[in-house]
Amino acid sequence: KKVVGSRQEAFKKYLTKGTPGYVEPMGPDVAEAIATIREAGGWASLAHPGTVKTPEELPRWKALGLEALEAYYPAHTGAQTDRFAALAREHGLGITGGSDFHGPGTGRDKMGAIEMPSAAIDAVLGRLAHA
């Protein structure tokens, strides 16, 4: 309906805490989310680690079954990618990546638009072979 000019403007004006459309998160907590993923046979990887306000929780989340951290992501700078890869290694977590594809016309419509080193891809494929 063209109420806003961009996704970023929508979040800023209507969807962040303190704005008219904000709703407190209603989803599962971290333990429930990891357990559900694992019970379904999935691999729990923390997406968008730069948005996590409590990275000191990583050891606890790993104990709950977290297996990887998304280091390769289009919005990350090279320095951020390096920092998240190092954080994953420091905590004994795998390293994943994603293009953050949300579908055509969303501004996040470039599936596969992320490059990962061959070693990181091989590690992911090796893990998936054991799923």
Side-chain angles (χ1 to χ4, degrees):
K1 294 186 177 186
K2 306 293 182 193
V3 174
V4 293
S6 69
R7 183 177 191 274
Q8 182 179 7
E9 183 184 356
F11 273 89
K12 185 175 181 180
K13 289 176 85 172
Y14 300 109
L15 301 174
T16 56
K17 198 169 198 160
T19 61
Y22 179 77
V23 176
E24 287 288 333
M26 297 179 284
D29 64 24
V30 172
E32 293 168 318
I34 291 171
T36 300
I37 292 166
R38 299 292 301 266
E39 288 167 11
W43 187 17
S45 177
L46 177 62
H48 317 323
T51 64
V52 174
K53 292 177 178 58
T54 55
E56 64 275 3
E57 293 282 341
L58 282 174
R60 185 175 74 82
W61 297 341
K62 181 179 177 186
L64 292 170
L66 181 69
E67 294 184 71
L69 191 89
E70 180 185 52
Y72 297 94
Y73 176 66
H76 290 168
T77 64
Q80 288 171 313
T81 297
D82 292 345
R83 188 173 86 237
F84 295 132
L87 189 62
R89 285 190 295 273
E90 176 185 332
H91 291 284
L93 296 167
I95 297 170
T96 60
S99 59
D100 203 24
F101 179 79
H102 283 232
T106 62
R108 294 181 179 191
D109 54 3
K110 302 216 177 354
M111 187 179 291
I114 189 72
E115 291 186 27
M116 290 176 54
S118 297
I121 293 170
D122 290 345
V124 169
L125 293 175
R127 170 55 181 89
L128 292 175
H130 293 101

